[in-house]
Amino acid sequence: DIQMTQSPSSLSASVGDTVTITCRASQGIVNHLAWLQLKPGKAPKPLIYTASSLQSGVPSRFSGSESGTDFTLTISNLQPEDFATYYCQQYNNYPFTFGQGTRLDIK
Amino acid sequence: EVQLVESGGGLVQPGGSLRLSCAASRFTFSTYWMSWFRQAPGKGLEWVASINQDDSIQYYVDSARGRFTISRDNAKNSLFLQMNSLRVDDTAVYFCARDPPGLVAEDYWGQGTLVTVSS
């Protein structure tokens, strides 16, 4: 199975800040990497697919990048609704696997 | 907009069975792969199973293989997860999700249904 190592596990930031979350895949996954946002009691919200493509309707302050097996989610100009938990997911091979999650809190 | 609504969760004893359903609407259900995921309390997301458009291909996470069965009824726009021999560690919120073509990851998820396995 492909292991996804996500960091940090938690992060505190203020409205207007820029934050970065990283994920490292244990083997090559091409660019088959997604980022999702989770809030309690709500449907997971897909943000990014193929490492850097924005899902429809996702604000442009969210961006993704890749370098080999390292992937990054950047959220610029944090808004109050962005405080949530974020996961990376590889979908290159079954079983699909996720990072451990990053909880983003208000400082 | 695309809608996915899960149902069928509840409290079940270890060793018991449950059948989850996912009602899909506002898209052509029969043309999409579909998947089930879960999130145990306080834990991260886990992929459970996926199924192709005509129910001829299914994939399972190792912990579910042999106990869970993913299926679909395209005439009723519905996805199912039959869960047998349930264990305490199957306790989770279960989500269904749509898989668009072209390796672009799931693009719509339901809100989930809670399964609690406890004596």
Side-chain angles (χ1 to χ4, degrees):
Chain A
D1 298 359
I2 297 173
Q3 309 302 317
M4 303 301 296
T5 303
Q6 184 174 342
S7 63
S9 57
S10 65
L11 189 53
S12 293
S14 302
V15 172
D17 284 354
T18 295
V19 298
T20 298
I21 300 168
T22 62
C23 244
R24 172 168 289 175
S26 62
Q27 62 190 74
I29 57 170
V30 194
N31 64 348
H32 300 146
L33 188 284
W35 291 96
L36 299 92
Q37 178 192 72
L38 264 74
K39 294 182 179 179
K42 291 197 165 185
K45 180 180 180 181
L47 300 173
I48 286 172
Y49 63 97
T50 58
S52 60
S53 301
L54 245 55
Q55 289 280 0
S56 176
V58 173
S60 59
R61 63 179 181 273
F62 291 89
S63 63
S65 64
E66 62 175 296
S67 176
T69 57
D70 292 338
F71 300 87
T72 299
L73 172 69
T74 300
I75 314 172
S76 305
N77 186 23
L78 275 169
Q79 297 299 299
E81 61 268 29
D82 299 337
F83 293 95
T85 302
Y86 293 85
Y87 290 88
C88 63
Q89 176 208 354
Q90 71 80 19
Y91 55 94
N92 192 62
N93 295 103
Y94 289 104
F96 296 161
T97 47
F98 291 85
Q100 300 91 326
T102 296
R103 180 175 169 173
L104 176 57
D105 291 331
I106 298 176
K107 187 184 292 184
Chain B
E1 183 172 89
V2 167
Q3 275 203 331
L4 297 169
V5 180
E6 303 91 338
S7 60
L11 175 63
V12 62
Q13 292 189 334
S17 297
L18 272 180
R19 188 191 197 209
L20 305 185
S21 299
C22 172
S25 59
R26 301 175 188 171
F27 68 100
T28 307
F29 178 72
S30 61
T31 65
Y32 286 84
W33 280 72
M34 297 293 294
S35 295
W36 286 100
F37 295 82
R38 66 185 178 183
Q39 184 177 31
K43 303 291 186 182
L45 286 167
E46 180 181 39
W47 168 79
V48 176
S50 295
I51 187 168
N52 75 335
Q53 293 91 334
D54 66 2
D55 204 349
S56 61
I57 301 173
Q58 303 89 27
Y59 294 105
Y60 298 93
V61 69
D62 283 350
S63 61
R65 191 174 296 112
R67 299 188 301 127
F68 293 6
T69 302
I70 187 172
S71 63
R72 63 194 296 161
D73 184 338
N74 287 339
K76 295 184 178 179
N77 293 332
S78 294
L79 175 72
F80 305 104
L81 187 67
Q82 176 67 44
M83 303 187 295
N84 299 330
S85 303
L86 281 161
R87 310 188 298 224
V88 170
D89 62 357
D90 292 318
T91 295
V93 175
Y94 285 73
F95 302 96
C96 65
R98 187 179 86 162
D99 292 279
L103 282 173
V104 294
E106 294 73 31
D107 60 351
Y108 286 94
W109 294 61
Q111 285 199 302
T113 186
L114 176 62
V115 172
T116 303
V117 185
S118 174
S119 54

